[in-house]
Amino acid sequence: MIPLADRADEALAKLAGMTGSAAIGKLDGATLLGERAMLAGMAIPGRISAGGGCRLFEAVGDGIALNLARADDRELLPALLKTDTLDTNDDQAIAACIARSDAALLVARGRSMGLAMALEHEALPCCDNPCVELVTGVAAVGPVRRAPRVLDLSALWAGPLAGHLLWLAGAEVVKVESRTRPDAMREGERAFYALLNQGKASVVLDFADASDRQALLSLIAASDIVIEAARPRALAQLGIDAARIVRTTPGLVWVTITGHGAAGEAADWVGFGDDCGVAGGLSAALRAASGRSGFVGDAIADPLAGITAALAAWEAWSSRRGGRFGVAMSHVIACCLTRAHATDPAALDASLRAWSAAAGMPFPLVSRRPIGAVRTFGEDTHARLAQVARC
Amino acid sequence: MKAGTKLKSAVCDTEVMVIRGSDAIVECGGSPMDVERPAQRGTLNPTFSEGTKIGKRYVDAAGTVEFLCVKAGQGSLSIGGVALQVKDAKPLPSSD
């Protein structure tokens, strides 16, 4: 059993109730948390994440997670560790350097460099709601008359899962990708990409092109829900002011998924599912329960944040109030942990101990869901842009 | 310059971190950068005023040096009067 799968069950039951969707009613939390690992044949992780990109290290004062999943992350290691002599492919040498470094300083430094890092014992803002209202929306008038139109600008796992859940609930979903920087999950486990992106229209834009940037604004204007997971400066560079758009578009719901929050310094920190799980306190909880640190789940903050984002989006859309909402992956984990502690601390402890003891075993088997057709890259660009140009 | 060293612009707010160093002196806004800012801010050379962007990595044509912008400013980077170029955005991981 994957720890926190029961938290996912709880959120899914809420989403099923809210949307009235039979397809969502049939889902279970463990499936959403474990389906990628099962499809990719991953093992239950120890100190290296299930996907292999993130590692736990011991530094002075705390354990740290360092995610080196992007190809050129390793080039930053000599600068991170202030050494010119490091072999950046020698994980033992990296571990030795980290062991001599102050954990909190190292993580702060790495984050300022754009590396996805986390402390095992991170000081998180106290949160009982993982979804924060960032901008108050303008309520739309009248009842909802049709299923929502969703524009999915996100990539990887959390955002696409949120779009997928809304699609299961009947929404029409358009996935937008950059021509030069497509969703990297296309290069990962094929069946998993298809699971998350089946049924979505595919629009591809060149964000360096002014008319394509204008087209993006038109697509946004024709949508009821926008799902986005970019850092603030990336949006600014596209000329998108989400706050202004939300304040001037009645009923528009905009969900921003971040690693560590949409405000202040943390808005610029990069976070992926495994390191955000650590930042949310999951590896510390594992260590407290079992005596050994390690990763819990497979990029666990991604699926939990995706479900949270879908809930937030549907709730704000169906109430017609609109607004911009922030879902921070590390805060989602912290909230889930807090609730699990409050609900049944013994069950949480037992699930963490069992998880730790099973390290190295195959990932728990979960339900195999049907996979529908996936549109090819950019297949719907012309049709969709023609449609919004007519509006 | 040792990897990890932070350099500050003498003419604007730019700060960079050395990712791959050499002995070459990097300039910002036309003036040499250093670990400390001078007491008095110099003047920005209009030829090197396109600005730096936070999070971007800058390289020379030969790819021998690399700097990460950790604080943006009005000046742009050069070595020996030759402008540095922005390295392309990082591809996202296929498994995170």
Side-chain angles (χ1 to χ4, degrees):
Chain A
M1 182 64 173
I2 307 167
L4 299 187
D6 49 349
R7 296 300 103 198
D9 284 336
E10 191 182 76
L12 284 170
K14 204 172 158 191
L15 187 62
M18 215 186 277
T19 58
S21 157
I24 292 178
K26 276 191 267 177
L27 291 177
D28 63 276
T31 296
L32 293 193
L33 299 193
E35 59 191 357
R36 178 176 79 163
M38 181 184 68
L39 289 170
M42 293 173 182
I44 292 178
R47 296 176 64 81
I48 299 177
S49 64
C54 196
R55 274 161 200 263
L56 287 161
F57 295 95
E58 296 298 333
V60 177
D62 202 359
I64 67 154
L66 170 60
N67 199 324
L68 300 172
R70 294 169 296 185
D72 54 0
D73 279 333
R74 283 180 188 266
E75 294 171 9
L76 295 175
L77 292 178
L80 173 72
L81 300 164
K82 296 187 187 175
T83 162
D84 283 325
T85 52
L86 182 73
D87 172 358
T88 56
N89 288 313
D90 181 346
D91 286 334
Q92 276 183 335
I94 294 167
C97 265
I98 291 174
R100 294 192 294 270
S101 308
D102 178 88
L105 290 177
L106 196 64
V107 168
R109 185 176 166 81
R111 283 175 169 168
S112 79
M113 298 172 64
L115 284 167
M117 294 179 73
L119 288 169
E120 250 187 69
H121 299 83
E122 196 131 339
L124 279 175
C126 174
C127 63
D128 47 12
N129 182 0
C131 175
V132 188
E133 187 176 57
L134 301 171
V135 177
T136 307
V138 186
V141 191
V144 165
R145 277 189 295 269
R146 49 166 171 74
R149 287 175 298 205
V150 175
L151 195 66
D152 179 5
L153 306 180
S154 68
L156 302 180
W157 188 346
L161 173 62
H164 169 63
L165 292 170
L166 297 174
W167 175 76
L168 284 177
E172 177 192 303
V173 184
V174 177
K175 179 181 179 76
V176 176
E177 288 171 273
S178 153
R179 186 172 298 285
T180 53
R181 221 179 166 208
D183 185 348
M185 285 299 242
R186 288 180 177 279
E187 307 304 314
E189 180 61 34
R190 212 168 255 267
F192 181 62
Y193 179 84
L195 250 182
L196 295 190
N197 295 290
Q198 57 183 307
K200 298 179 185 175
S202 171
V203 168
V204 169
L205 298 175
D206 177 1
F207 293 127
D209 181 281
S211 65
D212 272 17
R213 289 200 301 272
Q214 190 54 48
L216 176 59
L217 291 173
S218 304
L219 285 168
I220 292 170
S223 304
D224 301 305
I225 296 171
V226 174
I227 300 167
E228 162 263 319
R231 283 185 286 168
R233 64 172 183 249
L235 276 189
Q237 278 166 17
L238 292 182
I240 293 178
D241 182 347
R244 193 190 57 77
I245 295 172
V246 165
R247 281 197 198 99
T248 52
T249 315
L252 178 66
V253 177
W254 188 300
V255 181
T256 297
I257 298 171
T258 65
H260 303 279
E265 202 187 9
D268 283 319
W269 298 345
V270 176
F272 299 116
D274 287 302
D275 44 276
C276 284
V278 176
L282 209 34
S283 293
L286 189 72
R287 197 194 284 265
S290 73
R292 277 197 309 178
S293 184
F295 288 99
V296 176
D298 165 29
I300 190 165
D302 270 305
L304 285 168
I307 303 168
T308 305
L311 260 175
W314 192 276
E315 196 166 26
W317 170 75
S318 56
S319 71
R320 305 284 270 146
R321 65 193 171 104
R324 187 181 187 199
F325 302 87
V327 173
M329 295 204 294
S330 57
H331 300 180
V332 168
I333 294 297
C335 276
C336 287
L337 261 182
T338 305
R339 260 187 259 154
H341 262 297
T343 318
D344 192 344
L348 173 65
D349 248 42
S351 74
L352 290 168
R353 277 197 305 275
W355 184 260
S356 178
M361 310 274 284
F363 223 84
L365 288 180
V366 298
S367 323
R368 208 172 265 274
R369 298 199 286 137
I371 303 175
V374 179
R375 306 290 284 173
T376 60
F377 187 62
E379 192 174 350
D380 303 293
T381 308
H382 280 297
R384 292 288 162 169
L385 295 193
Q387 209 172 50
V388 293
R390 281 199 303 272
C391 294
Chain B
M1 277 298 168
K2 196 174 162 183
T5 308
K6 272 192 196 174
L7 298 172
K8 294 174 179 171
S9 171
V11 301
C12 71
D13 292 333
T14 298
E15 288 180 28
V16 299
M17 187 184 279
V18 179
I19 301 303
R20 271 177 305 140
S22 74
D23 293 331
I25 292 170
V26 61
E27 302 125 16
C28 176
S31 300
M33 300 184 81
D34 207 341
V35 287
E36 294 297 335
R37 240 180 253 291
Q40 196 143 35
R41 187 171 276 203
T43 333
L44 180 69
N45 177 339
T47 315
F48 298 101
S49 61
E50 279 171 40
T52 49
K53 282 185 180 158
I54 188 164
K56 294 286 180 200
R57 284 155 74 167
Y58 293 85
V59 291
D60 63 351
T64 50
V65 293
E66 184 168 338
F67 302 93
L68 170 72
C69 176
V70 291
K71 199 172 175 201
Q74 290 173 288
S76 45
L77 305 177
S78 57
I79 287 178
V82 180
L84 300 187
Q85 303 299 321
V86 179
K87 209 176 164 185
D88 286 337
K90 284 187 180 196
L92 288 167
S94 56
S95 94
D96 63 341

PDB file of all heavy atoms in Angstrom, chain A residues 242-273:
ATOM      1  N   ALA A 242      -1.598  36.864 -15.564  1.00  0.00           N
ATOM      2  CA  ALA A 242      -2.719  36.017 -15.135  1.00  0.00           C
ATOM      3  C   ALA A 242      -3.668  36.784 -14.225  1.00  0.00           C
ATOM      4  O   ALA A 242      -4.899  36.659 -14.357  1.00  0.00           O
ATOM      5  CB  ALA A 242      -2.197  34.770 -14.443  1.00  0.00           C
ATOM      6  N   ALA A 243      -3.115  37.577 -13.316  1.00  0.00           N
ATOM      7  CA  ALA A 243      -3.960  38.302 -12.360  1.00  0.00           C
ATOM      8  C   ALA A 243      -4.908  39.251 -13.101  1.00  0.00           C
ATOM      9  O   ALA A 243      -6.107  39.307 -12.813  1.00  0.00           O
ATOM     10  CB  ALA A 243      -3.089  39.075 -11.375  1.00  0.00           C
ATOM     11  N   ARG A 244      -4.370  39.976 -14.084  1.00  0.00           N
ATOM     12  CA  ARG A 244      -5.190  40.935 -14.820  1.00  0.00           C
ATOM     13  C   ARG A 244      -6.283  40.197 -15.623  1.00  0.00           C
ATOM     14  O   ARG A 244      -7.431  40.609 -15.656  1.00  0.00           O
ATOM     15  CB  ARG A 244      -4.313  41.762 -15.767  1.00  0.00           C
ATOM     16  CG  ARG A 244      -5.019  42.995 -16.347  1.00  0.00           C
ATOM     17  CD  ARG A 244      -4.204  43.637 -17.451  1.00  0.00           C
ATOM     18  NE  ARG A 244      -3.893  42.721 -18.543  1.00  0.00           N
ATOM     19  CZ  ARG A 244      -4.748  42.354 -19.488  1.00  0.00           C
ATOM     20  NH1 ARG A 244      -5.960  42.851 -19.493  1.00  0.00           N
ATOM     21  NH2 ARG A 244      -4.388  41.493 -20.428  1.00  0.00           N
ATOM     22  N   ILE A 245      -5.882  39.095 -16.262  1.00  0.00           N
ATOM     23  CA  ILE A 245      -6.849  38.330 -17.064  1.00  0.00           C
ATOM     24  C   ILE A 245      -7.992  37.821 -16.183  1.00  0.00           C
ATOM     25  O   ILE A 245      -9.164  37.925 -16.541  1.00  0.00           O
ATOM     26  CB  ILE A 245      -6.138  37.161 -17.793  1.00  0.00           C
ATOM     27  CG1 ILE A 245      -5.130  37.718 -18.814  1.00  0.00           C
ATOM     28  CG2 ILE A 245      -7.153  36.259 -18.485  1.00  0.00           C
ATOM     29  CD1 ILE A 245      -4.240  36.654 -19.448  1.00  0.00           C
ATOM     30  N   VAL A 246      -7.636  37.303 -14.999  1.00  0.00           N
ATOM     31  CA  VAL A 246      -8.663  36.758 -14.097  1.00  0.00           C
ATOM     32  C   VAL A 246      -9.580  37.880 -13.600  1.00  0.00           C
ATOM     33  O   VAL A 246     -10.800  37.709 -13.517  1.00  0.00           O
ATOM     34  CB  VAL A 246      -7.988  36.011 -12.918  1.00  0.00           C
ATOM     35  CG1 VAL A 246      -8.969  35.744 -11.788  1.00  0.00           C
ATOM     36  CG2 VAL A 246      -7.374  34.701 -13.413  1.00  0.00           C
ATOM     37  N   ARG A 247      -9.005  39.041 -13.314  1.00  0.00           N
ATOM     38  CA  ARG A 247      -9.806  40.165 -12.795  1.00  0.00           C
ATOM     39  C   ARG A 247     -10.745  40.746 -13.848  1.00  0.00           C
ATOM     40  O   ARG A 247     -11.690  41.441 -13.513  1.00  0.00           O
ATOM     41  CB  ARG A 247      -8.886  41.283 -12.297  1.00  0.00           C
ATOM     42  CG  ARG A 247      -8.300  40.996 -10.928  1.00  0.00           C
ATOM     43  CD  ARG A 247      -7.734  42.263 -10.288  1.00  0.00           C
ATOM     44  NE  ARG A 247      -6.822  41.895  -9.222  1.00  0.00           N
ATOM     45  CZ  ARG A 247      -5.501  41.871  -9.351  1.00  0.00           C
ATOM     46  NH1 ARG A 247      -4.949  42.262 -10.473  1.00  0.00           N
ATOM     47  NH2 ARG A 247      -4.742  41.489  -8.350  1.00  0.00           N
ATOM     48  N   THR A 248     -10.444  40.489 -15.132  1.00  0.00           N
ATOM     49  CA  THR A 248     -11.263  41.117 -16.171  1.00  0.00           C
ATOM     50  C   THR A 248     -12.109  40.106 -16.956  1.00  0.00           C
ATOM     51  O   THR A 248     -12.777  40.476 -17.902  1.00  0.00           O
ATOM     52  CB  THR A 248     -10.376  41.888 -17.176  1.00  0.00           C
ATOM     53  OG1 THR A 248      -9.353  41.006 -17.644  1.00  0.00           O
ATOM     54  CG2 THR A 248      -9.719  43.091 -16.515  1.00  0.00           C
ATOM     55  N   THR A 249     -12.031  38.812 -16.570  1.00  0.00           N
ATOM     56  CA  THR A 249     -12.797  37.794 -17.296  1.00  0.00           C
ATOM     57  C   THR A 249     -13.778  37.117 -16.342  1.00  0.00           C
ATOM     58  O   THR A 249     -13.376  36.251 -15.559  1.00  0.00           O
ATOM     59  CB  THR A 249     -11.843  36.738 -17.912  1.00  0.00           C
ATOM     60  OG1 THR A 249     -10.743  37.411 -18.526  1.00  0.00           O
ATOM     61  CG2 THR A 249     -12.559  35.872 -18.916  1.00  0.00           C
ATOM     62  N   PRO A 250     -15.055  37.472 -16.385  1.00  0.00           N
ATOM     63  CA  PRO A 250     -16.027  36.896 -15.454  1.00  0.00           C
ATOM     64  C   PRO A 250     -16.050  35.373 -15.515  1.00  0.00           C
ATOM     65  O   PRO A 250     -16.106  34.800 -16.602  1.00  0.00           O
ATOM     66  CB  PRO A 250     -17.367  37.490 -15.925  1.00  0.00           C
ATOM     67  CG  PRO A 250     -16.996  38.759 -16.610  1.00  0.00           C
ATOM     68  CD  PRO A 250     -15.660  38.492 -17.254  1.00  0.00           C
ATOM     69  N   GLY A 251     -15.967  34.759 -14.347  1.00  0.00           N
ATOM     70  CA  GLY A 251     -16.085  33.313 -14.239  1.00  0.00           C
ATOM     71  C   GLY A 251     -14.826  32.530 -14.546  1.00  0.00           C
ATOM     72  O   GLY A 251     -14.761  31.329 -14.291  1.00  0.00           O
ATOM     73  N   LEU A 252     -13.790  33.193 -15.091  1.00  0.00           N
ATOM     74  CA  LEU A 252     -12.593  32.434 -15.464  1.00  0.00           C
ATOM     75  C   LEU A 252     -11.878  31.888 -14.221  1.00  0.00           C
ATOM     76  O   LEU A 252     -11.625  32.611 -13.265  1.00  0.00           O
ATOM     77  CB  LEU A 252     -11.609  33.316 -16.260  1.00  0.00           C
ATOM     78  CG  LEU A 252     -10.304  32.621 -16.667  1.00  0.00           C
ATOM     79  CD1 LEU A 252     -10.552  31.486 -17.665  1.00  0.00           C
ATOM     80  CD2 LEU A 252      -9.305  33.616 -17.263  1.00  0.00           C
ATOM     81  N   VAL A 253     -11.551  30.599 -14.293  1.00  0.00           N
ATOM     82  CA  VAL A 253     -10.815  29.943 -13.217  1.00  0.00           C
ATOM     83  C   VAL A 253      -9.409  29.655 -13.712  1.00  0.00           C
ATOM     84  O   VAL A 253      -9.238  29.094 -14.808  1.00  0.00           O
ATOM     85  CB  VAL A 253     -11.486  28.608 -12.813  1.00  0.00           C
ATOM     86  CG1 VAL A 253     -10.681  27.898 -11.739  1.00  0.00           C
ATOM     87  CG2 VAL A 253     -12.912  28.861 -12.352  1.00  0.00           C
ATOM     88  N   TRP A 254      -8.420  30.046 -12.951  1.00  0.00           N
ATOM     89  CA  TRP A 254      -7.026  29.854 -13.356  1.00  0.00           C
ATOM     90  C   TRP A 254      -6.324  29.130 -12.217  1.00  0.00           C
ATOM     91  O   TRP A 254      -6.233  29.658 -11.105  1.00  0.00           O
ATOM     92  CB  TRP A 254      -6.381  31.218 -13.613  1.00  0.00           C
ATOM     93  CG  TRP A 254      -5.015  31.162 -14.221  1.00  0.00           C
ATOM     94  CD1 TRP A 254      -3.909  30.565 -13.701  1.00  0.00           C
ATOM     95  CD2 TRP A 254      -4.604  31.740 -15.469  1.00  0.00           C
ATOM     96  NE1 TRP A 254      -2.842  30.719 -14.541  1.00  0.00           N
ATOM     97  CE2 TRP A 254      -3.238  31.442 -15.628  1.00  0.00           C
ATOM     98  CE3 TRP A 254      -5.265  32.483 -16.464  1.00  0.00           C
ATOM     99  CZ2 TRP A 254      -2.510  31.865 -16.747  1.00  0.00           C
ATOM    100  CZ3 TRP A 254      -4.539  32.905 -17.559  1.00  0.00           C
ATOM    101  CH2 TRP A 254      -3.180  32.596 -17.710  1.00  0.00           C
ATOM    102  N   VAL A 255      -5.856  27.931 -12.474  1.00  0.00           N
ATOM    103  CA  VAL A 255      -5.160  27.176 -11.433  1.00  0.00           C
ATOM    104  C   VAL A 255      -3.676  27.129 -11.752  1.00  0.00           C
ATOM    105  O   VAL A 255      -3.274  26.692 -12.836  1.00  0.00           O
ATOM    106  CB  VAL A 255      -5.727  25.746 -11.301  1.00  0.00           C
ATOM    107  CG1 VAL A 255      -4.993  24.986 -10.201  1.00  0.00           C
ATOM    108  CG2 VAL A 255      -7.214  25.789 -10.999  1.00  0.00           C
ATOM    109  N   THR A 256      -2.873  27.614 -10.824  1.00  0.00           N
ATOM    110  CA  THR A 256      -1.416  27.625 -10.975  1.00  0.00           C
ATOM    111  C   THR A 256      -0.814  26.572 -10.059  1.00  0.00           C
ATOM    112  O   THR A 256      -1.002  26.622  -8.849  1.00  0.00           O
ATOM    113  CB  THR A 256      -0.868  29.013 -10.604  1.00  0.00           C
ATOM    114  OG1 THR A 256      -1.391  29.979 -11.524  1.00  0.00           O
ATOM    115  CG2 THR A 256       0.652  29.038 -10.673  1.00  0.00           C
ATOM    116  N   ILE A 257      -0.124  25.612 -10.656  1.00  0.00           N
ATOM    117  CA  ILE A 257       0.536  24.578  -9.855  1.00  0.00           C
ATOM    118  C   ILE A 257       2.007  24.959  -9.723  1.00  0.00           C
ATOM    119  O   ILE A 257       2.670  25.250 -10.723  1.00  0.00           O
ATOM    120  CB  ILE A 257       0.379  23.193 -10.509  1.00  0.00           C
ATOM    121  CG1 ILE A 257      -1.106  22.834 -10.591  1.00  0.00           C
ATOM    122  CG2 ILE A 257       1.150  22.134  -9.719  1.00  0.00           C
ATOM    123  CD1 ILE A 257      -1.386  21.595 -11.420  1.00  0.00           C
ATOM    124  N   THR A 258       2.498  25.001  -8.500  1.00  0.00           N
ATOM    125  CA  THR A 258       3.904  25.359  -8.273  1.00  0.00           C
ATOM    126  C   THR A 258       4.563  24.280  -7.425  1.00  0.00           C
ATOM    127  O   THR A 258       3.883  23.413  -6.871  1.00  0.00           O
ATOM    128  CB  THR A 258       4.013  26.680  -7.495  1.00  0.00           C
ATOM    129  OG1 THR A 258       3.465  26.481  -6.179  1.00  0.00           O
ATOM    130  CG2 THR A 258       3.269  27.817  -8.183  1.00  0.00           C
ATOM    131  N   GLY A 259       5.879  24.359  -7.307  1.00  0.00           N
ATOM    132  CA  GLY A 259       6.583  23.465  -6.397  1.00  0.00           C
ATOM    133  C   GLY A 259       6.355  23.886  -4.957  1.00  0.00           C
ATOM    134  O   GLY A 259       5.993  23.096  -4.098  1.00  0.00           O
ATOM    135  N   HIS A 260       6.579  25.183  -4.717  1.00  0.00           N
ATOM    136  CA  HIS A 260       6.643  25.636  -3.320  1.00  0.00           C
ATOM    137  C   HIS A 260       5.837  26.893  -3.046  1.00  0.00           C
ATOM    138  O   HIS A 260       6.046  27.546  -2.034  1.00  0.00           O
ATOM    139  CB  HIS A 260       8.102  25.865  -2.933  1.00  0.00           C
ATOM    140  CG  HIS A 260       8.961  24.655  -3.129  1.00  0.00           C
ATOM    141  ND1 HIS A 260       9.017  23.617  -2.233  1.00  0.00           N
ATOM    142  CD2 HIS A 260       9.772  24.289  -4.161  1.00  0.00           C
ATOM    143  CE1 HIS A 260       9.842  22.680  -2.685  1.00  0.00           C
ATOM    144  NE2 HIS A 260      10.313  23.064  -3.860  1.00  0.00           N
ATOM    145  N   GLY A 261       4.949  27.290  -3.932  1.00  0.00           N
ATOM    146  CA  GLY A 261       4.126  28.472  -3.681  1.00  0.00           C
ATOM    147  C   GLY A 261       4.281  29.498  -4.783  1.00  0.00           C
ATOM    148  O   GLY A 261       5.275  29.496  -5.504  1.00  0.00           O
ATOM    149  N   ALA A 262       3.282  30.366  -4.896  1.00  0.00           N
ATOM    150  CA  ALA A 262       3.265  31.324  -6.001  1.00  0.00           C
ATOM    151  C   ALA A 262       3.703  32.709  -5.558  1.00  0.00           C
ATOM    152  O   ALA A 262       3.755  33.636  -6.358  1.00  0.00           O
ATOM    153  CB  ALA A 262       1.865  31.395  -6.602  1.00  0.00           C
ATOM    154  N   ALA A 263       4.030  32.856  -4.273  1.00  0.00           N
ATOM    155  CA  ALA A 263       4.365  34.195  -3.776  1.00  0.00           C
ATOM    156  C   ALA A 263       5.801  34.244  -3.252  1.00  0.00           C
ATOM    157  O   ALA A 263       6.347  33.235  -2.813  1.00  0.00           O
ATOM    158  CB  ALA A 263       3.397  34.588  -2.664  1.00  0.00           C
ATOM    159  N   GLY A 264       6.369  35.426  -3.308  1.00  0.00           N
ATOM    160  CA  GLY A 264       7.690  35.668  -2.720  1.00  0.00           C
ATOM    161  C   GLY A 264       8.776  34.888  -3.423  1.00  0.00           C
ATOM    162  O   GLY A 264       8.640  34.453  -4.570  1.00  0.00           O
ATOM    163  N   GLU A 265       9.851  34.687  -2.673  1.00  0.00           N
ATOM    164  CA  GLU A 265      11.035  34.023  -3.179  1.00  0.00           C
ATOM    165  C   GLU A 265      10.732  32.606  -3.678  1.00  0.00           C
ATOM    166  O   GLU A 265      11.245  32.153  -4.694  1.00  0.00           O
ATOM    167  CB  GLU A 265      12.023  33.949  -2.003  1.00  0.00           C
ATOM    168  CG  GLU A 265      13.447  33.795  -2.351  1.00  0.00           C
ATOM    169  CD  GLU A 265      14.273  33.562  -1.083  1.00  0.00           C
ATOM    170  OE1 GLU A 265      13.701  33.362   0.015  1.00  0.00           O
ATOM    171  OE2 GLU A 265      15.489  33.570  -1.210  1.00  0.00           O
ATOM    172  N   ALA A 266       9.846  31.915  -2.938  1.00  0.00           N
ATOM    173  CA  ALA A 266       9.544  30.515  -3.244  1.00  0.00           C
ATOM    174  C   ALA A 266       8.931  30.348  -4.630  1.00  0.00           C
ATOM    175  O   ALA A 266       8.984  29.261  -5.209  1.00  0.00           O
ATOM    176  CB  ALA A 266       8.607  29.935  -2.183  1.00  0.00           C
ATOM    177  N   ALA A 267       8.349  31.411  -5.170  1.00  0.00           N
ATOM    178  CA  ALA A 267       7.717  31.322  -6.490  1.00  0.00           C
ATOM    179  C   ALA A 267       8.736  30.979  -7.572  1.00  0.00           C
ATOM    180  O   ALA A 267       8.381  30.437  -8.612  1.00  0.00           O
ATOM    181  CB  ALA A 267       7.013  32.629  -6.820  1.00  0.00           C
ATOM    182  N   ASP A 268       9.995  31.296  -7.333  1.00  0.00           N
ATOM    183  CA  ASP A 268      11.021  31.023  -8.339  1.00  0.00           C
ATOM    184  C   ASP A 268      11.739  29.696  -8.120  1.00  0.00           C
ATOM    185  O   ASP A 268      12.617  29.341  -8.894  1.00  0.00           O
ATOM    186  CB  ASP A 268      12.045  32.165  -8.359  1.00  0.00           C
ATOM    187  CG  ASP A 268      11.479  33.387  -9.079  1.00  0.00           C
ATOM    188  OD1 ASP A 268      10.813  33.193 -10.115  1.00  0.00           O
ATOM    189  OD2 ASP A 268      11.676  34.510  -8.587  1.00  0.00           O
ATOM    190  N   TRP A 269      11.373  28.981  -7.051  1.00  0.00           N
ATOM    191  CA  TRP A 269      12.040  27.702  -6.806  1.00  0.00           C
ATOM    192  C   TRP A 269      11.445  26.632  -7.709  1.00  0.00           C
ATOM    193  O   TRP A 269      10.229  26.531  -7.845  1.00  0.00           O
ATOM    194  CB  TRP A 269      11.869  27.259  -5.357  1.00  0.00           C
ATOM    195  CG  TRP A 269      12.472  28.199  -4.365  1.00  0.00           C
ATOM    196  CD1 TRP A 269      13.364  29.214  -4.609  1.00  0.00           C
ATOM    197  CD2 TRP A 269      12.212  28.224  -2.955  1.00  0.00           C
ATOM    198  NE1 TRP A 269      13.670  29.859  -3.440  1.00  0.00           N
ATOM    199  CE2 TRP A 269      12.991  29.274  -2.414  1.00  0.00           C
ATOM    200  CE3 TRP A 269      11.418  27.452  -2.102  1.00  0.00           C
ATOM    201  CZ2 TRP A 269      12.974  29.580  -1.050  1.00  0.00           C
ATOM    202  CZ3 TRP A 269      11.400  27.754  -0.744  1.00  0.00           C
ATOM    203  CH2 TRP A 269      12.181  28.796  -0.226  1.00  0.00           C
ATOM    204  N   VAL A 270      12.322  25.817  -8.274  1.00  0.00           N
ATOM    205  CA  VAL A 270      11.877  24.690  -9.083  1.00  0.00           C
ATOM    206  C   VAL A 270      11.532  23.529  -8.150  1.00  0.00           C
ATOM    207  O   VAL A 270      12.231  23.306  -7.157  1.00  0.00           O
ATOM    208  CB  VAL A 270      13.007  24.259 -10.045  1.00  0.00           C
ATOM    209  CG1 VAL A 270      12.601  23.018 -10.819  1.00  0.00           C
ATOM    210  CG2 VAL A 270      13.349  25.394 -10.994  1.00  0.00           C
ATOM    211  N   GLY A 271      10.466  22.825  -8.452  1.00  0.00           N
ATOM    212  CA  GLY A 271      10.144  21.650  -7.645  1.00  0.00           C
ATOM    213  C   GLY A 271       9.536  20.573  -8.511  1.00  0.00           C
ATOM    214  O   GLY A 271       8.692  20.859  -9.361  1.00  0.00           O
ATOM    215  N   PHE A 272       9.976  19.342  -8.329  1.00  0.00           N
ATOM    216  CA  PHE A 272       9.380  18.193  -9.009  1.00  0.00           C
ATOM    217  C   PHE A 272       8.776  17.270  -7.944  1.00  0.00           C
ATOM    218  O   PHE A 272       8.963  17.486  -6.748  1.00  0.00           O
ATOM    219  CB  PHE A 272      10.430  17.460  -9.858  1.00  0.00           C
ATOM    220  CG  PHE A 272      11.020  18.327 -10.945  1.00  0.00           C
ATOM    221  CD1 PHE A 272      12.364  18.663 -10.928  1.00  0.00           C
ATOM    222  CD2 PHE A 272      10.226  18.818 -11.970  1.00  0.00           C
ATOM    223  CE1 PHE A 272      12.908  19.478 -11.926  1.00  0.00           C
ATOM    224  CE2 PHE A 272      10.755  19.623 -12.971  1.00  0.00           C
ATOM    225  CZ  PHE A 272      12.099  19.950 -12.950  1.00  0.00           C
ATOM    226  N   GLY A 273       8.082  16.250  -8.403  1.00  0.00           N
ATOM    227  CA  GLY A 273       7.279  15.438  -7.490  1.00  0.00           C
ATOM    228  C   GLY A 273       8.023  14.790  -6.339  1.00  0.00           C
ATOM    229  O   GLY A 273       7.506  14.728  -5.223  1.00  0.00           O
TER     230      GLY A 273
END
